[in-house]
Amino acid sequence: MELRTLYYFVTIAEELNITRAAEKLCMSQPPLSNQIHALESELDTVLFIRGKRHLQLTDSGKLLYRHAKEILHLADKAANEIRSMGKGMNGTVSIGLVEGSAPNIAAEWISSFSAKYPEITFRITDGNSDELIEKMRSGLISLAVITAPCDQTLLNSFRVGQEKMTAFMSAENPLSALPGNTIRLSDIKDQPLIVPSRDAITDMIYKWFREIGAEPKILCKMDNYLDVAALAGRNIGVSLFPKTSYVLNPQIVAKEVVEPARNIEYLFVWLKGKPLPAAEEAFIDHVKDHL
């Protein structure tokens, strides 16, 4: 199978109309039809069910379509990387980082990647996980580090770190006087809670409390860690956020949640089915190599 033939096949499979596919490929219909008939003969299978106006992929056609897309993507990636090697890798890596540990985690990758590819620049965006996913969908960024969970049907992902969920409270709150720097989840079940605004995290917190036979009393959902510190410091409620959200403040006491301990995972993500520039593909590989 030649790459050109696979490209013809993919175009027809996406148009499901031989005339429109031929127009898109800037070629006449008979040679295109002959290419597909030859491909079917080579594979000894039928790829399309021919209707009067539209085509329909057979099961064999659907399988070939998935593989052909992957093959064409890899061919483009290989060509782009080889061209970049000849010129010296360049371009811009656009990445979003959620608050918490993500900036610290990414700093090491960026430092070592920049040393290897000094011509590549970075464009870094911040936001909560849902905002960063939406920015990827709209094309504003290509990569992101978010907190788990994520939609596995939409995103490629792999784990890059975790940190402890921590309760932040006013020094005036009686719970702050408990000995040690940890607190049981059951100790805060009756406290008004300030939690991250992301729905997936809120659902996770509900699940945690139900595991101990309780319901969380969520007072407020917030994104900005500085605002969270301000509310917790005024004894409005206890905030449940990752440990690195701690803002140096003598009015706030931080205690890691235990019994059971709870962690937040950080995921490196990018959209499925969307080809990336060679610089960003190289950055993904670099991150995987440095975990």
Side-chain angles (χ1 to χ4, degrees):
M1 291 182 290
E2 297 181 357
L3 291 177
R4 180 184 59 182
T5 305
L6 290 179
Y7 180 64
Y8 292 163
F9 166 75
V10 166
T11 304
I12 297 171
E14 291 176 344
E15 294 294 329
L16 292 178
N17 182 288
I18 195 73
T19 302
R20 287 200 304 269
E23 291 174 353
K24 189 173 182 179
L25 292 165
C26 299
M27 62 189 297
S28 60
Q29 182 176 331
L32 181 58
S33 296
N34 291 338
Q35 289 280 348
I36 298 306
H37 284 303
L39 180 60
E40 289 178 321
S41 296
E42 180 182 350
L43 297 175
D44 192 25
T45 190
V46 175
L47 299 172
F48 294 99
I49 299 172
R50 276 80 173 170
K52 290 184 178 180
R53 296 186 179 180
H54 300 286
L55 302 174
Q56 183 178 342
L57 283 168
T58 62
D59 289 340
S60 296
K62 292 176 183 177
L63 178 61
L64 179 60
Y65 176 74
R66 291 197 298 271
H67 286 306
K69 290 283 284 185
E70 293 175 0
I71 291 167
L72 292 172
H73 171 64
L74 287 173
D76 286 342
K77 179 183 176 183
N80 289 334
E81 288 182 357
I82 290 169
R83 292 189 192 103
S84 295
M85 287 178 67
K87 299 176 183 177
M89 183 78 76
N90 54 53
T92 299
V93 174
S94 59
I95 183 169
L97 302 175
V98 73
E99 289 182 309
S101 287
N104 289 331
I105 294 171
E108 182 179 344
W109 307 332
I110 293 171
S111 175
S112 54
F113 191 76
S114 295
K116 187 175 182 181
Y117 301 109
E119 298 301 316
I120 291 179
T121 59
F122 284 82
R123 180 165 58 84
I124 299 175
T125 302
D126 60 9
N128 64 41
S129 295
D130 291 335
E131 290 171 343
L132 295 179
I133 291 171
E134 186 56 36
K135 288 178 181 179
M136 277 193 290
R137 298 183 73 167
S138 62
L140 296 177
I141 58 175
S142 300
L143 316 171
V145 178
I146 65 171
T147 52
C150 74
D151 184 351
Q152 299 290 338
T153 64
L154 175 68
L155 300 172
N156 297 298
S157 68
F158 56 90
R159 181 176 170 274
V160 292
Q162 68 175 13
E163 65 176 318
K164 297 181 182 299
M165 188 62 95
T166 303
F168 302 101
M169 65 200 73
S170 167
E172 298 175 6
N173 190 312
L175 293 177
S176 67
L178 292 174
N181 58 1
T182 61
I183 192 168
R184 295 174 300 179
L185 196 63
S186 58
D187 290 331
I188 58 175
K189 64 182 177 64
D190 296 323
Q191 295 283 319
L193 298 178
I194 304 163
V195 300
S197 63
R198 189 182 180 203
D199 289 341
I201 300 297
T202 305
D203 293 343
M204 188 182 300
I205 289 172
Y206 271 101
K207 180 181 177 182
W208 292 347
F209 277 88
R210 285 171 185 155
E211 289 176 2
I212 62 170
E215 286 285 319
K217 297 183 177 181
I218 294 178
L219 170 68
C220 184
K221 298 180 181 181
M222 304 188 73
D223 291 325
N224 188 284
Y225 288 0
L226 293 176
D227 295 338
V228 169
L231 291 186
R234 294 292 295 275
N235 203 21
I236 292 174
V238 173
S239 70
L240 274 180
F241 272 79
K243 186 175 182 180
T244 50
S245 356
Y246 177 68
V247 176
L248 188 61
N249 185 329
Q251 297 301 316
I252 296 177
V253 174
K255 292 180 179 288
E256 293 177 7
V257 176
V258 296
E259 295 184 26
R262 296 300 180 183
N263 296 320
I264 290 291
E265 290 191 340
Y266 290 92
L267 304 175
F268 191 107
V269 299
W270 66 101
L271 290 177
K272 287 186 174 179
K274 181 180 179 181
L276 296 174
E280 292 178 341
E281 291 276 13
F283 186 67
I284 293 172
D285 293 338
H286 181 81
V287 172
K288 288 180 178 178
D289 290 341
H290 284 73
L291 290 179

